[in-house]
Amino acid sequence: NYTYQFKRIRKADVLIGGRRQLKLFEHIPCEKIIFKNEINFDKALNHPGNVVVLASGEPGLYGILDLVLKYRRREDIDVIPGISSIQYMMARLAIPMKDMTVVSIHGREGDLTAKAMQFKTIVVLTDREHNPQYIAQKLKKNDIIDVTIYVGQNLSYEDEIIESFSVEKLSKSKRNFGLNVVVITRCGNMDLASQMSSL
């Protein structure tokens, strides 16, 4: 799969992505467009030749795929998946995925508290405003404190960091976290969580 991905990237006439993603392929001799707020995405996708959009994390889960589909028919898009940030983080923590749910608070308010009362493990997709501290403060406000919060930054890169925190410690932290995925374990009532996950 990775061979196929790189083959497609090498044949690109245009690469669209974040600075960090484009830096990985700076040796590819093609036009590069940095993905930022002011980008004319429709024009970028209409560029002549083979256009490749680089996406990390979860492109099909509140990700870049939603934006691409605003301008392109599904039949005209070839999505080439790699390992997702959720799979990667859960594998690094050696936590089974069968009793988990995913909440995205990336650019939105997610129903974090309700999910915390239903599931043993929650994976949270974050943004700058809804960061790990925001999550811890939200849990603390709702008296959900008997949990462990894992924060994985820059997953799969050389500067990857995965740390664990208590709700109390993280809620008071002043740190600026990089790109991250949060995992909350031992959430809510465990008997209830087991019942809900078996339904």
Side-chain angles (χ1 to χ4, degrees):
N1 192 36
Y2 285 114
T3 302
Y4 182 57
Q5 290 174 352
F6 290 130
K7 184 177 179 182
R8 294 296 297 271
I9 291 169
R10 282 196 299 270
K11 289 184 175 180
D13 297 300
V14 180
L15 283 177
I16 304 173
R19 290 183 189 278
R20 189 166 191 164
Q21 295 157 337
L22 292 176
K23 187 170 177 58
L24 293 172
F25 302 103
E26 58 188 359
H27 61 285
I28 303 290
C30 67
E31 181 176 347
K32 298 178 178 70
I33 300 174
I34 298 172
F35 184 75
K36 47 191 175 184
N37 290 337
E38 57 268 27
I39 186 177
N40 183 330
F41 205 66
D42 188 27
K43 182 178 178 182
L45 288 173
N46 263 321
H47 197 286
N50 183 23
V51 179
V52 174
V53 179
L54 302 172
S56 61
E58 308 298 331
L61 185 62
Y62 307 108
I64 192 70
L65 183 57
D66 287 326
L67 182 57
V68 172
L69 286 170
K70 287 182 180 179
Y71 302 103
R72 292 291 174 272
R73 298 182 310 160
R74 190 162 43 242
E75 307 84 60
D76 298 331
I77 299 170
D78 186 11
V79 179
I80 307 167
I83 185 169
S84 75
S85 60
I86 294 172
Q87 287 177 302
Y88 185 94
M89 181 70 167
M90 296 296 280
R92 294 285 283 119
L93 294 173
I95 297 176
M97 296 177 67
K98 65 181 182 298
D99 294 320
M100 61 161 257
T101 190
V102 178
V103 174
S104 175
I105 54 176
H106 185 88
R108 61 179 55 79
E109 291 287 334
D111 197 5
L112 189 61
T113 305
K115 296 294 186 184
M117 296 305 295
Q118 295 176 27
F119 293 88
K120 292 179 179 180
T121 304
I122 301 174
V123 178
V124 189
L125 305 178
T126 64
D127 63 22
R128 288 186 179 180
E129 180 183 350
H130 303 98
N131 56 25
Q133 291 94 327
Y134 168 89
I135 293 167
Q137 290 161 10
K138 188 111 173 169
L139 293 173
K140 184 177 178 181
K141 182 180 177 182
N142 289 278
D143 296 319
I144 302 172
I145 56 173
D146 188 22
V147 299
T148 300
I149 302 174
Y150 297 95
V151 181
Q153 299 179 77
N154 305 317
L155 297 176
S156 80
Y157 289 93
E158 289 183 3
D159 55 348
E160 172 186 299
I161 303 171
I162 298 177
E163 301 169 279
S164 64
F165 300 89
S166 67
V167 170
E168 187 68 25
K169 181 179 177 182
L170 187 55
S171 67
K172 295 178 179 177
S173 174
K174 302 297 183 187
R175 286 178 54 185
N176 290 319
F177 289 96
L179 294 171
N180 67 81
V181 173
V182 170
V183 174
I184 307 166
T185 60
R186 301 199 308 269
C187 295
N189 181 297
M190 289 300 93
D191 293 334
L192 176 60
S194 296
Q195 294 168 18
M196 294 293 293
S197 63
S198 65
L199 292 177

